[in-house]
Amino acid sequence: MLTIDHNDTLTAARTGTLALPHGTIEVPAFMPVGTNGTVKAISHAAVDNMGYRLILGNTYHLYLRPGKEVFETYGGLHAFSSWPHNILTDSGGFQVFSLAPFRKIRDEGVRFRSHIDGSYHHLTPESVVEFQRTLGSDIMMCLDECTPPEISYKKAIEACRRTTAWAKRSKARWDIEREAGFEGKLFGIIQGNFFKDLRKISSEEIIELDFPGIAIGGLSVGEPKETFEEYLAYTSQFLPPEKPRYLMGIGTPDYIFAAVENGIDLFDCVFATRTARNGTVFTKDGMINLKKAGHALDKGPIEEGCTCQACTRYSRGYMRHLFKAGELFGPMLATEHNLQFLYDLMVEIRHSIREDRFSSFKKDFLDRYLKKGN
């Protein structure tokens, strides 16, 4: 599944290829998030043309709407959404975590109320795997219990125990689907909150189950950046080098560099598309808000050298006008720019690793990107 072609000489960063049912992708790679079967405010054709070959779909949202019957009728999410490349689907665990007032977690699974119509639903490790098989996921995730920072050690132990138990049940169900001819890969998820002994225990228990890939969960959930980096480095040291590694929920340059430095191969985040819809875009000099008055007379592009439509055809001044006028074209162009920015960044990162200059590239990039006053 994973072929590593180069390991950085100074860090755990690495490059390689990941073979999946809908084609091979280069890693490390960022995945755009397509929550409802579409990356918001941009066409699949545009995402495809940039070079992305793996996007993320959200099991929780797709389960509620349009539902299993629709995907059975269409033959999966690829056909339903006309996306010809790979799709990773999460388990819905994070959405359940974020809906704390509307769910109850038990050993058998999770009972929750729909945010759409208030109806009650029940998810189990087995049903989550079954639904992701119906979606035709190229990579699917186990149902896990994600926990917020600052919970008690006792609650963290319980969540860690339940995550492992659910992982075992998920794998047993996936083995059945595999025997029936399903080619999608199941990744286990490491939890353990912000307790190092639990992180180590969770890592050992999930790795022992011998999943095709391993994900690190429970980070970037509101903890300070220093804590994120500490626990990322601590957890990643336990991961087997021969398997793909996925860090869930990160997607800004500083967090991406931290992930790659620790040997992570895949990551995703809604940040790039969500902020774009609000008029905030990536540049090498940091993020800028296109709505600010200072851009009104600016004839230059968002970023010199960027090949996206926003930068090759339009000015910052025009972009500001679109957002101030409430035109839908503004969020569409900004979304394209942010995804192009991250795609290009990943190309540069892979080049720097292969040339053994990742550390210097990281320093130079972040010195400029995080410069005070941007």
Side-chain angles (χ1 to χ4, degrees):
M1 184 180 180
L2 176 68
T3 302
I4 299 299
D5 58 44
H6 191 79
N7 290 284
D8 183 50
T9 54
L10 299 177
T11 71
R14 60 200 199 159
T15 60
T17 54
L18 189 59
L20 296 170
H22 283 83
T24 298
I25 66 167
E26 290 189 87
V27 295
F30 172 78
M31 296 178 286
V33 176
T35 301
N36 290 299
T38 177
V39 181
K40 284 184 170 60
I42 190 170
S43 70
H44 275 159
V47 176
D48 188 351
N49 289 338
M50 287 181 204
Y52 285 105
R53 296 295 179 265
L54 176 61
I55 63 174
L56 186 142
N58 187 275
T59 295
Y60 167 86
H61 290 280
L62 295 171
Y63 166 81
L64 291 177
R65 185 173 55 195
K68 188 175 182 180
E69 182 181 359
V70 170
F71 293 110
E72 289 176 337
T73 300
Y74 277 84
L77 181 55
H78 293 84
F80 183 62
S81 65
S82 295
W83 172 253
H85 306 297
N86 295 293
I87 298 174
L88 181 151
T89 50
D90 61 13
S91 68
F94 182 79
Q95 282 67 40
V96 169
F97 154 73
S98 65
L99 293 170
F102 307 102
R103 48 87 167 151
K104 288 185 178 180
I105 300 175
R106 298 287 186 268
D107 283 351
E108 62 271 18
V110 181
R111 179 175 167 82
F112 67 95
R113 288 183 63 187
S114 166
H115 72 286
I116 298 171
D117 60 11
S119 59
Y120 283 95
H121 300 268
H122 189 67
L123 294 180
T124 67
E126 294 83 2
S127 68
V128 166
V129 169
E130 290 168 13
F131 182 66
Q132 290 181 91
R133 182 260 301 154
T134 301
L135 292 175
S137 308
D138 298 282
I139 298 177
M140 60 167 64
M141 310 305 298
C142 293
L143 183 65
D144 65 321
E145 184 174 350
C146 184
T147 53
E150 301 178 356
I151 65 168
S152 69
Y153 186 74
K154 181 179 179 181
K155 289 184 177 179
I157 290 176
E158 183 66 11
C160 188
R161 178 197 64 77
R162 188 173 286 124
T163 291
T164 297
W166 285 355
K168 291 177 181 178
R169 290 166 56 187
S170 298
K171 189 169 187 295
R173 182 65 211 186
W174 176 67
D175 284 339
I176 294 173
E177 301 295 349
R178 249 195 331 164
E179 290 171 3
F182 179 65
E183 296 182 346
K185 312 300 182 183
L186 178 66
F187 281 27
I189 303 175
I190 293 169
Q191 289 291 345
N193 199 260
F194 296 95
F195 300 98
K196 288 186 176 178
D197 60 331
L198 297 185
R199 282 274 162 186
K200 186 173 187 294
I201 290 170
S202 183
S203 298
E204 292 170 347
E205 291 177 344
I206 296 300
I207 290 168
E208 186 179 0
L209 293 172
D210 195 27
F211 289 99
I214 306 292
I216 298 177
L219 296 182
S220 191
V221 290
E223 76 279 8
K225 185 179 178 184
E226 297 76 15
T227 303
F228 163 81
E229 292 182 344
E230 176 185 356
Y231 277 81
L232 168 60
Y234 181 78
T235 307
S236 62
Q237 69 177 312
F238 302 117
L239 302 183
E242 72 277 8
K243 293 190 176 183
R245 305 160 173 176
Y246 168 32
L247 177 59
M248 309 170 79
I250 63 107
T252 58
D254 48 344
Y255 277 68
I256 286 173
F257 275 106
V260 173
E261 187 171 38
N262 283 283
I264 302 300
D265 304 305
L266 300 170
F267 25 85
D268 73 283
C269 193
V270 298
F271 183 84
T273 49
R274 180 177 290 166
T275 56
R277 296 194 301 276
N278 292 316
T280 302
V281 290
F282 292 119
T283 77
K284 291 182 179 179
D285 292 303
M287 302 201 75
I288 63 169
N289 185 347
L290 291 169
K291 296 179 183 178
K292 288 187 174 181
H295 300 300
L297 303 179
D298 192 336
K299 295 181 180 180
I302 298 172
E303 181 83 274
E304 291 286 353
C306 179
T307 59
C308 79
Q309 186 179 189
C311 291
T312 56
R313 301 191 64 176
Y314 304 106
S315 67
R316 289 190 181 189
Y318 180 67
M319 292 292 295
R320 177 181 184 270
H321 161 71
L322 292 177
F323 277 100
K324 297 301 287 186
E327 290 289 342
L328 294 178
F329 195 36
M332 292 169 64
L333 287 173
T335 297
E336 181 181 341
H337 169 79
N338 277 357
L339 291 182
Q340 185 71 61
F341 182 92
L342 291 181
Y343 184 85
D344 293 343
L345 175 60
M346 296 314 305
V347 170
E348 291 184 272
I349 284 176
R350 291 193 294 267
H351 284 329
S352 74
I353 295 170
R354 294 187 186 107
E355 295 174 358
D356 289 320
R357 54 178 182 85
F358 170 76
S359 294
S360 61
F361 176 63
K362 173 191 171 185
K363 182 181 184 304
D364 292 344
F365 187 97
L366 292 181
D367 281 351
R368 178 177 173 183
Y369 180 80
L370 299 175
K371 186 178 179 181
K372 300 291 183 182
N374 283 343

